[in-house]
Amino acid sequence: MASQWQTDLADAVSDPTELLRLLELDTSLLEPARAASREFPLRVPRSFVARMRKRDPSDPLLRQVLPLGAELEPQPGFTHDAVGDMVNRAAPGVLHKYHGRVLLIATGICAVNCRYCFRRHFPYAQESARTDNWEPALQYIRSDASISEVILSGGDPLSLGDRILAELVARLQEIQQLRTLRIHTRQPIVLPSRVDPELLSWLRNCRLRKVVVVHVNHARELNAEVTTALAKLHAAGATLFNQSVLLRGVNDSATVLAELSQQLFMAGVIPYYLHMLDRVSGAAHFDVPDSQALDIARALRARLPGYLVPRLVREVPGAPAKMPLTAL
Ligand SMILES: *Cc1c(COP(=O)(O)O)cnc(C)c1O
Ligand code: SF4
């Protein structure tokens, strides 16, 4: 029998007509939404739609998922492999870019399709670490004693079922040099029913240090259901961090980001990264110029305690870490 979260996942809104109807939006948005969703499908769980304001085409949650005609206009500098991932492939589905940690692409599937995501072009279908029952990926990790942290990523690793995840985690924790299991996921936010007893059980039982990095861009994404899910992850032993992407028309203001940091903290989550947009084709309309990003970062520092200020970073191909944008 399917779990509730699997039912909710299968029931996500994928038809632009339905999204517009649920939110009582103008039908003039339909044609562009249809055209852009042929390139990268619309996909958004109903729980997330329920947090959007009706009749507001600029709603910051809606903007993250609504396909727009602007996505189809080519923009100079916006390409298909903006983060240079393909050159860091160490084994099937394993990206080893930074010292001491590897990123495992557990699955290409997400509960939500964020319009700004580099995933819109990355050929993850062929790249999951699940190839040959994870063995080449695990072998690579075992063979490098400098690796102490494994990051389950994707796509969204929690798209996989708990039986698969429990088995993977059991095999990871047998690797002597590993200390930390990190999970990069947006599901506790967009599909809070995902945080169910089965998930919490394998998480709680894992002997590694556990870090869950969620992805919230706007305080309105945090409702009671989400904060309850986050509290359960914390109670199961996970340290919680958040990463956001700086997005024009969503969170490109110090007021919005300060409120986000405060609300995250109320939910037990520490702001970690504020990413500059990856320059992927189709996402140019979300771009925030460096000068404005630095102004926002400066304003945030002036108004929040240091521990609530996320690091403003950019992915630079070949760099040894996410690179901070340097402020004056
Ligand atoms: C972003 C990223 C990480 C994690 O970097 P942290 O600075 O540790 O959060 C690890 N591996 C890859 C390939 C990444 O892109
Ligand atoms: S990987 Fe993250 S940003 Fe990209 S579509 Fe999935 S949830 Fe959204």
Side-chain angles (χ1 to χ4, degrees), residues 110 112-114 116-117 119 155 186 215:
C110 286
V112 63
N113 281 347
C114 310
Y116 50 85
C117 181
R119 201 174 64 87
R186 203 174 188 190
H215 173 177

Side-chain angles (χ1 to χ4, degrees), residues 14-316:
S14 57
D15 175 0
T17 313
E18 187 183 15
L19 182 63
L20 298 186
R21 185 174 52 72
L22 288 170
L23 295 171
E24 299 169 22
L25 286 164
D26 197 279
T27 50
S28 65
L29 295 164
L30 184 58
E31 248 342 283
R34 278 220 179 102
S37 65
R38 280 193 282 272
E39 296 275 308
F40 183 51
L42 166 70
R43 182 175 174 89
V44 53
R46 280 166 209 275
S47 151
F48 199 67
V49 176
R51 287 168 245 166
M52 297 174 186
R53 273 190 298 254
K54 290 193 172 159
R55 294 177 296 280
D56 180 3
S58 351
D59 178 87
L61 278 58
L62 175 68
R63 275 189 65 88
Q64 297 178 48
V65 301
L66 178 68
L68 295 180
E71 295 174 22
L72 301 170
E73 294 159 20
Q75 296 288 340
F78 286 76
T79 63
H80 278 63
D81 181 18
V83 291
D85 270 342
M86 297 312 271
V87 299
N88 295 290
R89 183 181 171 284
V94 178
L95 298 180
H96 193 181
K97 277 200 219 181
Y98 304 148
H99 179 79
R101 51 226 197 268
V102 290
L103 193 143
L104 216 80
I105 298 165
T107 166
I109 297 168
C110 286
V112 63
N113 281 347
C114 310
R115 307 312 297 179
Y116 50 85
C117 181
F118 63 93
R119 201 174 64 87
R120 48 185 303 148
H121 306 297
F122 198 70
Y124 279 132
Q126 304 93 301
E127 270 300 318
S128 167
R130 258 180 100 188
T131 307
D132 295 323
N133 193 27
W134 313 101
E135 198 41 47
L138 295 174
Q139 191 51 44
Y140 177 79
I141 297 165
R142 281 186 212 110
S143 73
D144 184 342
S146 75
I147 299 169
S148 62
E149 176 171 21
V150 170
I151 304 170
L152 303 187
S153 183
D156 196 313
L158 297 186
S159 305
L160 295 174
D162 291 309
R163 201 177 38 77
I164 296 169
L165 288 165
E167 195 204 311
L168 172 62
V169 167
R171 285 164 75 190
L172 285 169
Q173 67 183 10
E174 282 168 8
I175 301 177
Q176 287 305 316
Q177 82 264 18
L178 286 187
R179 290 199 207 119
T180 307
L181 172 73
R182 191 194 316 186
I183 302 171
H184 280 182
T185 176
R186 203 174 188 190
Q187 289 201 1
I189 311 305
V190 297
L191 191 79
S193 58
R194 180 66 188 91
V195 182
D196 67 1
E198 286 72 31
L199 180 152
L200 294 165
S201 159
W202 61 258
L203 189 67
R204 193 179 298 108
N205 290 333
C206 173
R207 70 153 181 90
L208 300 166
R209 278 204 162 272
K210 292 160 289 204
V211 174
V212 174
V213 182
V214 293
H215 173 177
V216 185
N217 296 317
H218 193 286
R220 289 219 348 262
E221 293 169 42
L222 300 167
N223 64 4
E225 207 190 345
V226 172
T227 55
T228 302
L230 293 168
K232 287 178 182 169
L233 291 170
H234 184 254
T239 303
L240 303 176
F241 294 108
N242 181 60
Q243 46 188 346
S244 308
V245 181
L246 184 58
L247 299 166
R248 176 141 58 101
V250 174
N251 59 10
D252 54 340
S253 103
T255 306
V256 166
L257 287 171
E259 177 66 13
L260 172 59
S261 277
Q262 301 278 15
Q263 294 301 327
L264 284 167
F265 187 60
M266 297 300 283
V269 184
I270 300 293
Y272 180 35
Y273 282 139
L274 175 59
H275 293 273
M276 294 299 285
L277 185 72
D278 291 326
R279 298 174 81 80
V280 292
S281 49
H285 58 288
F286 287 114
D287 196 34
V288 176
D290 285 12
S291 58
Q292 191 192 342
L294 287 167
D295 284 346
I296 291 170
R298 198 175 299 119
L300 276 181
R301 282 196 303 275
R303 109 168 47 173
L304 290 172
Y307 58 85
L308 290 187
V309 180
R311 300 162 178 78
L312 178 66
V313 293
R314 145 176 308 135
E315 185 97 36
V316 177

